[in-house]
Amino acid sequence: MSALQTEIKELIITTLSLEDIGPDDIDASAPLFNEGLGLDSIDALELGLALQKRYGVTLAADSAETRQHFASVDALCAFVAANQKQ
């Protein structure tokens, strides 16, 4: 597991107050919404704001591209790595 993957998993856990779950419990390739981690649209907004604050990335509110970025932890890692402001 990469450092960025671990950071993003921890960010998801703390931002969304997911109790009784650790970074190792989140499958990086599993969907974050619906059948995977079970997040909803409110969770997506909170997570998007946390990603903006932490990594300086910008997400469009309701684009198909943004949905792809939120597909899994792996997809979020790829997006952050490609768009992170130094």
Side-chain angles (χ1 to χ4, degrees), residues 2-82:
S2 74
L4 182 58
Q5 247 186 4
T6 303
E7 279 181 32
I8 288 180
K9 287 180 179 186
E10 289 172 352
L11 186 69
I12 291 169
I13 292 165
T14 55
T15 300
L16 305 178
S17 301
L18 300 178
E19 297 176 11
D20 302 325
I21 192 169
D24 292 337
D25 298 325
I26 299 173
D27 180 351
S29 61
L32 293 177
F33 297 90
N34 302 323
E35 71 278 353
L37 202 51
L39 304 184
D40 61 23
S41 58
I42 301 298
D43 295 329
L45 288 171
E46 289 181 35
L47 186 54
L49 288 172
L51 288 165
Q52 283 179 304
K53 281 184 190 171
R54 178 115 180 224
Y55 299 107
V57 296
T58 305
L59 296 154
D62 192 34
S63 74
E65 198 173 82
T66 297
R67 284 189 205 96
Q68 290 172 349
H69 299 318
F70 278 88
S72 65
V73 170
D74 285 339
L76 277 176
C77 287
F79 172 74
V80 168

